[in-house]
Amino acid sequence: MKPCKLGGLLHWLKGPSMACGHTVLMRLVASAYAVAQKAGMIVRRVIAEGDLGIVEKTCATDLQTKADRLVQMSICSSLARKFPKLTIIGEEDLPAEEVDQELIEDGQWEEILKQPCPSQYSAIKEEDLVVWVDPLDGTKEYTEGLLDNVTVLIGIAYEGKAIAGVINQPYYNYQAGPDAVLGRTIWGVLGLGAFGFQLKEVPAGKHIITTTRSHSNQLVMDCVTAMNPDDVLRVGGAGNKIIQLIEGKASAYVFASPGCKKWDTCAPEVILHAVGGKLTDIHGNALQYNKEVKHMNSAGVLATLRNYDYYASRVPQSVKNALVP
Ligand code: AMP
Ligand code: MG
Ligand code: MG
């Protein structure tokens, strides 16, 4: 925890959003980073303890585990304690109950506080921010042991736009041998950049599509086929698929179906946009993240690091007609 030295003076010099010399946004991102790291530890601990506590939500491919529940409690309570005026929207419907102190993370990642806040965000107030939390993205794959598909997503929105995000991948490196460091955290702020990975592109001219493995249907398949892909990767998780785009494993994330929600896309969208990529619905509309917005991304997802127009131009009209925003 950074000591609040000179707090009074800086408050006077820079206004109320700069408590401790840092803006609300950068303090929130620094806290979200620490909170996401703890989340990753909880995700690993639940597997290690061996009882996933699986519950079916709407159907057999829409699951919740003990990790989804504990992580959401951890993230939401930790952030709400430090930033009581935030609006926090988490995926899971959980009963309001006292959260175990052991789940609370109070730290912040000091490296983030060393970075400058983009000037357009320096006056943001806590009450103006909306945080979208997917405590465990790729739950179906988590229950099947496809552990590197899993991510923890904390997205931050201002005036309806996704502006900052943190992604923890708890099992990054888990197949790399016993000496490999397990897990990583990627973060980004629009206007500042994205960090925690090596940016890489798919070789020019190759069209590698990444799409769902657990939530496919005819529309999804029609849209993927229309892209004339060289290869199709079917993997779990929205966070995981955006990581494939920024690490040069896939050139487009195509999901022509409802099912994906605002907590799935908020943090990944920021990371992609911060490095020059683009995420929209299947019609090309930007996604909105204000607190009143419908949770479902009803018109699907189309995301690329480069060559967005190539993929957008190949979405069949029949697919567009079937997906109403
Ligand atoms: P997937 O690519 O299938 O891993 O989906 C990305 C995210 O959207 C995950 O959080 C899924 O749980 C969610 N999702 C996509 N389609 C559906 C669906 N039909 N029902 C429930 N969740 C879905
Ligand atoms: Mg999800
Ligand atoms: Mg989830």
Side-chain angles (χ1 to χ4, degrees):
M1 178 83 182
K2 199 163 177 84
C4 195
K5 283 184 205 150
L6 294 178
L9 178 60
L10 282 165
H11 185 86
W12 176 76
L13 283 172
K14 295 180 177 170
S17 62
M18 298 283 283
C20 300
H22 303 291
T23 62
V24 169
L25 180 66
M26 296 311 283
R27 287 194 297 114
L28 177 57
V29 176
S31 292
Y33 187 106
V35 165
Q37 286 205 308
K38 184 176 186 87
M41 282 188 277
I42 297 170
V43 170
R44 291 189 293 265
R45 194 181 70 206
V46 170
I47 288 269
E49 287 173 356
D51 174 18
L52 290 189
I54 298 169
V55 172
E56 263 187 35
K57 295 199 286 187
T58 57
C59 61
T61 56
D62 189 14
L63 306 177
Q64 183 195 75
T65 69
K66 186 176 173 185
D68 299 69
R69 296 186 285 277
L70 290 178
V71 168
Q72 178 156 315
M73 285 191 257
S74 173
I75 294 175
C76 295
S77 303
S78 301
L79 293 180
R81 275 195 196 191
K82 265 191 155 166
F83 304 93
K85 293 183 196 154
L86 284 180
T87 299
I88 306 176
I89 304 172
E91 173 173 4
E92 310 304 335
D93 273 331
L94 299 176
E97 58 184 49
E98 193 61 29
V99 170
D100 196 328
Q101 185 60 32
E102 181 266 329
L103 291 174
I104 302 295
E105 172 59 56
D106 189 40
Q108 53 192 358
W109 193 250
E110 298 295 329
E111 290 304 309
I112 294 177
L113 294 174
K114 291 178 190 158
Q115 301 288 331
C117 182
S119 58
Q120 65 271 33
Y121 304 137
S122 62
I124 290 180
K125 297 201 278 303
E126 200 176 304
E127 54 269 39
D128 298 332
L129 292 168
V130 180
V131 180
W132 293 90
V133 177
D134 187 342
L136 200 162
D137 180 47
T139 302
K140 181 77 169 39
E141 286 71 25
Y142 182 64
T143 65
E144 295 172 20
L146 295 165
L147 298 176
D148 50 4
N149 287 200
V150 167
T151 57
V152 175
L153 305 175
I154 306 177
I156 299 168
Y158 172 63
E159 294 184 334
K161 192 173 174 191
I163 62 164
V166 176
I167 301 179
N168 181 275
Q169 192 177 24
Y171 287 96
Y172 171 67
N173 251 346
Y174 88 115
Q175 285 167 323
D179 297 332
V181 178
L182 200 59
R184 65 169 163 177
T185 305
I186 292 169
W187 68 279
V189 177
L190 292 194
L192 181 62
F195 310 91
F197 64 97
Q198 289 285 325
L199 186 68
K200 207 173 156 197
E201 289 181 31
V202 169
K206 273 236 170 237
H207 300 297
I208 304 173
I209 307 292
T210 183
T211 192
T212 183
R213 70 176 279 281
S214 301
H215 303 101
S216 197
N217 56 39
Q218 195 59 49
L219 275 180
V220 170
M221 290 188 286
D222 288 350
C223 197
V224 168
T225 305
M227 304 282 168
N228 196 20
D230 295 301
D231 199 3
V232 180
L233 312 174
R234 297 176 205 284
V235 301
N240 182 36
K241 287 189 260 296
I242 294 297
I243 292 174
Q244 290 186 314
L245 297 184
I246 60 177
E247 295 196 318
K249 299 201 175 87
S251 31
Y253 169 16
V254 180
F255 185 58
S257 171
C260 202
K261 324 289 187 313
K262 292 295 179 302
W263 43 75
D264 292 304
T265 46
C266 188
E269 174 180 322
V270 172
I271 303 301
L272 186 65
H273 285 183
V275 293
K278 186 164 174 180
L279 184 149
T280 66
D281 71 11
I282 219 76
H283 301 278
N285 301 313
L287 302 185
Q288 298 298 318
Y289 294 94
N290 45 300
K291 62 181 173 219
E292 299 84 10
V293 85
K294 184 173 66 167
H295 294 168
M296 182 74 81
N297 293 320
S298 308
V301 177
L302 175 64
T304 69
L305 177 61
R306 306 282 178 252
N307 302 324
Y308 174 89
D309 291 347
Y310 169 89
Y311 299 97
S313 71
R314 276 162 179 74
V315 177
Q317 193 56 46
S318 56
V319 169
K320 287 187 180 170
N321 293 345
L323 292 173
V324 182

